[in-house]
Amino acid sequence: MIKPLTLLLALALAGTAAAQTRHTAAFTVQVVNDGAVAHEAVPVVIALQKYGVDVHTALVTCGGSEVPCQIDDMDRDGRPDELCFMAQVGPRTTRSYAVTIADSGQPRSYTPRTYAEMMLPNKGNRKIYISELTVDRGSASAFNAVVPHGPAFENEYGAYRIYFDHRQTVDLYGKVNRQLELRQTHFYPSAQQLRAGSGDDVLWVGDSFGLGALRGWDGRHPTMIDSLARRTMRVLASGPVRAVVEVVNTGWQTASAGQPPVNMTTRYAVYAGRRDVEVNVSFDRPTAGYEFATGLVNVKGSEEYSDHHGLRACWGTDWPVAERDSVGHKRETVGLAISIPRRYVVRELPADRDNYPFVVSTAGGSRLHYWLNFASANETRGYHSAREWFAYLRQWQRQLDSPVRISGL
């Protein structure tokens, strides 16, 4: 028989040994800018699986200074699989970032600069946050089942929500000040919050693309995402560096004639220090022969800009809600933009009553990647005319056209 004192000593020694078997990995990431355009906020995303460490903590430094980072479980298996941080690199410059990951300890704390949420409505004003909801074919629309009508996400520049229905439209919340607000306003600020400088919904979208929603294409018109087995929306990440939401359409029968159903996954990501939104679309198989549609809502009376190579924008003023619901609202002036890599653009279509549309494809592959951008004229530090907005977008496109190189991963 083992004496109690002996057992306690053995357990203590085992605990000490376990503490000493902490697993770490250290490596250096180099961010190389070969171009003449400075990059102030480059997202660096590191897949963690290959390092053989069940990551609990991470430290990123550059020149001896700590850089905020974020560990995320993107495949929702309970184990972190991606590390993200923002790099800054000047023209024709290389910067080195030292990364250390470990399987123990508590994640380091940084000031939140992004946020994402989806909630169930509750009459008792007790907030029920959810990270995922799936609606099967034949179910009622989830548009009114969640707050604020779908997952919402933000950084300091602006906020967005994805409509949880057949439109999957990207709707916009413009800000006055550069700050996070959704946790307090949930896309619907009170009169008191508005008086204190809160932002608000600034765009009426109806059945349009809003800001860059992806739809089907029947050869003549965009089509909604309404023939599918199930629709899932998720909050994947929310933290100091990035917020990511995901939309999964399972068994989507697109409008492309003669083509079988596909599964489509769309991820929207905002990053600390960037005005734009990154959109990554993936399909479960190559989609040669399929065509899709995206673009921008044609804001009433808006002025259009296009470089005819995938960058398209507008600047205009309209009610942010249907005119019959406009009491208590004011007309909102916004600038919208979408940038699609040329290889995905099938054709740019003339503006119609609702949209500035594109027909796009995966160029025979199984992925689409594009960027969205917007500004509200309410911003104290922003853009207040079409001329200013379009000038900024030309600079933005130059950055997108001259990406940095990342090595060491």
Coordinates of all heavy atoms in Angstrom, one line a residue, residues 2 12 37 49 67 69 83 110 113 117 124 159 177 196 218 223 231-232 255 258 260 281 283 319 339 355 391 406 409:
I2 N 0.5 2.3 -0.8 CA 1.2 3.5 -0.9 C 0.7 4.4 0.3 O -0.5 4.6 0.4 CB 1.0 4.2 -2.2 CG1 1.5 3.3 -3.3 CG2 1.8 5.6 -2.2 CD1 1.3 3.9 -4.7
A12 N 3.2 15.8 -6.4 CA 3.9 17.1 -6.5 C 5.0 17.0 -7.4 O 5.2 17.9 -8.3 CB 4.3 17.5 -5.1
V37 N 5.4 51.7 -52.6 CA 4.3 52.1 -51.8 C 4.4 51.6 -50.4 O 4.6 50.4 -50.2 CB 2.9 51.6 -52.4 CG1 1.8 52.0 -51.6 CG2 2.8 52.2 -53.8
Q49 N -0.4 24.5 -37.3 CA -0.4 23.1 -37.1 C 1.0 22.5 -37.3 O 1.4 21.6 -36.6 CB -1.4 22.4 -38.1 CG -2.8 22.7 -37.8 CD -3.3 23.9 -38.5 OE1 -2.5 24.8 -38.9 NE2 -4.6 24.0 -38.8
V67 N 4.4 43.4 -30.5 CA 3.4 43.7 -31.5 C 2.1 42.9 -31.1 O 2.2 41.7 -30.9 CB 3.8 43.2 -32.9 CG1 2.7 43.4 -34.0 CG2 5.1 44.0 -33.3
C69 N -1.0 40.5 -31.1 CA -1.3 39.3 -32.0 C -2.5 38.7 -31.4 O -3.0 39.0 -30.3 CB -0.1 38.4 -32.0 SG 0.3 37.6 -30.4
L83 N -2.5 32.2 -36.1 CA -2.0 33.3 -35.4 C -2.0 34.5 -36.4 O -1.5 34.4 -37.5 CB -0.6 33.1 -34.9 CG 0.2 34.3 -34.2 CD1 -0.5 34.7 -32.9 CD2 1.6 33.9 -34.0
Y110 N -4.4 42.6 -25.1 CA -4.1 43.8 -25.9 C -5.4 44.6 -26.0 O -6.5 44.0 -25.8 CB -3.6 43.5 -27.3 CG -2.4 42.7 -27.3 CD1 -2.4 41.3 -27.5 CD2 -1.1 43.2 -27.0 CE1 -1.2 40.5 -27.6 CE2 0.0 42.5 -27.0 CZ 0.0 41.1 -27.3 OH 1.1 40.4 -27.3
R113 N -9.4 46.1 -30.9 CA -9.5 47.0 -32.1 C -10.5 46.4 -33.1 O -10.7 47.1 -34.1 CB -8.2 47.3 -32.7 CG -7.2 48.1 -31.7 CD -5.9 48.5 -32.3 NE -6.1 49.4 -33.4 CZ -5.2 49.8 -34.3 NH1 -3.9 49.3 -34.1 NH2 -5.4 50.6 -35.3
E117 N -20.2 40.0 -33.3 CA -21.3 39.4 -32.5 C -22.4 39.0 -33.3 O -22.7 39.4 -34.5 CB -21.7 40.5 -31.5 CG -22.5 41.6 -32.1 CD -23.1 42.6 -31.1 OE1 -22.6 42.6 -29.9 OE2 -24.1 43.3 -31.4
G124 N -36.1 40.0 -21.8 CA -35.6 40.4 -20.5 C -34.4 41.2 -20.6 O -33.8 41.5 -19.6
A159 N -18.6 49.6 -39.3 CA -19.2 48.3 -38.9 C -20.1 47.8 -40.0 O -20.6 48.5 -40.9 CB -20.0 48.4 -37.6
N177 N -16.7 58.8 -34.8 CA -15.4 58.7 -34.2 C -14.8 57.3 -34.4 O -15.5 56.3 -34.5 CB -15.5 59.0 -32.7 CG -16.1 60.3 -32.4 OD1 -15.6 61.4 -32.8 ND2 -17.2 60.3 -31.7
A196 N -24.4 61.4 -28.0 CA -23.0 61.2 -27.5 C -22.0 61.0 -28.5 O -20.8 60.8 -28.2 CB -23.0 60.1 -26.4
D218 N -27.8 34.4 -63.8 CA -28.5 33.5 -64.7 C -28.2 33.7 -66.2 O -29.0 33.2 -67.1 CB -30.0 33.6 -64.4 CG -30.6 34.9 -64.8 OD1 -29.9 35.8 -65.3 OD2 -31.8 35.1 -64.5
T223 N -29.1 36.7 -59.2 CA -30.1 35.9 -58.5 C -29.7 35.7 -57.1 O -28.6 35.8 -56.7 CB -30.2 34.5 -59.2 OG1 -29.0 33.8 -59.0 CG2 -30.6 34.6 -60.7
R231 N -28.3 27.1 -44.6 CA -27.5 28.3 -44.5 C -27.0 28.4 -43.1 O -27.7 28.3 -42.2 CB -28.4 29.5 -44.9 CG -27.6 30.8 -45.1 CD -28.5 32.0 -45.3 NE -29.8 31.7 -45.9 CZ -30.0 31.8 -47.3 NH1 -29.0 32.1 -48.1 NH2 -31.2 31.5 -47.8
T232 N -25.7 28.6 -43.0 CA -25.0 28.7 -41.7 C -24.3 30.0 -41.6 O -23.6 30.4 -42.6 CB -24.0 27.6 -41.4 OG1 -24.7 26.3 -41.5 CG2 -23.3 27.7 -40.1
A255 N -27.6 29.7 -60.4 CA -28.4 30.0 -61.6 C -27.6 29.6 -62.8 O -28.1 29.8 -63.9 CB -28.8 31.4 -61.6
G258 N -27.3 24.1 -66.1 CA -26.7 22.8 -66.3 C -25.6 22.5 -65.2 O -25.0 21.4 -65.4
P260 N -24.2 21.5 -61.4 CA -24.7 20.9 -60.2 C -24.6 21.8 -59.0 O -23.9 22.8 -59.0 CB -23.8 19.6 -60.0 CG -22.6 20.0 -60.7 CD -23.0 20.8 -61.8
V281 N -13.8 33.7 -50.8 CA -14.9 32.8 -51.1 C -14.3 31.5 -51.6 O -13.4 31.5 -52.4 CB -15.8 33.4 -52.2 CG1 -17.0 32.4 -52.5 CG2 -16.3 34.7 -51.8
F283 N -15.2 27.3 -52.8 CA -16.2 26.3 -53.2 C -15.7 24.9 -52.9 O -14.4 24.7 -52.9 CB -16.6 26.4 -54.6 CG -17.3 27.8 -54.9 CD1 -16.5 28.9 -55.3 CD2 -18.6 27.9 -54.8 CE1 -17.1 30.1 -55.5 CE2 -19.2 29.1 -55.1 CZ -18.5 30.2 -55.4
W319 N -31.6 58.1 -48.2 CA -32.1 57.6 -46.9 C -31.4 56.3 -46.5 O -31.3 55.4 -47.4 CB -33.6 57.5 -46.9 CG -34.4 58.7 -47.1 CD1 -35.0 59.1 -48.2 CD2 -34.6 59.8 -46.1 NE1 -35.6 60.4 -48.1 CE2 -35.3 60.8 -46.8 CE3 -34.2 60.0 -44.8 CZ2 -35.7 62.0 -46.1 CZ3 -34.6 61.1 -44.2 CH2 -35.3 62.1 -44.8
S339 N -13.0 46.1 -55.0 CA -11.8 45.9 -55.9 C -11.7 44.4 -56.1 O -11.5 43.6 -55.1 CB -10.5 46.4 -55.2 OG -9.4 46.1 -56.0
N355 N -27.9 48.7 -59.0 CA -26.5 48.3 -58.7 C -25.5 48.8 -59.7 O -25.9 49.2 -60.9 CB -26.4 46.7 -58.8 CG -27.2 46.0 -57.6 OD1 -27.0 46.3 -56.5 ND2 -28.1 45.1 -58.0
A391 N -9.8 59.8 -54.9 CA -8.4 59.9 -54.8 C -7.8 58.9 -53.8 O -6.7 58.3 -54.1 CB -8.0 61.3 -54.4
I406 N 5.8 37.6 -47.8 CA 6.0 37.1 -46.4 C 6.7 35.8 -46.5 O 6.3 34.9 -47.1 CB 4.7 37.0 -45.7 CG1 3.9 38.3 -45.7 CG2 4.8 36.4 -44.3 CD1 2.5 38.3 -45.1
L409 N 7.4 31.3 -43.0 CA 6.2 30.6 -42.5 C 6.4 29.1 -42.8 O 6.9 28.7 -43.8 CB 4.9 31.1 -43.1 CG 4.7 32.6 -42.8 CD1 3.3 33.0 -43.4 CD2 4.8 33.0 -41.4

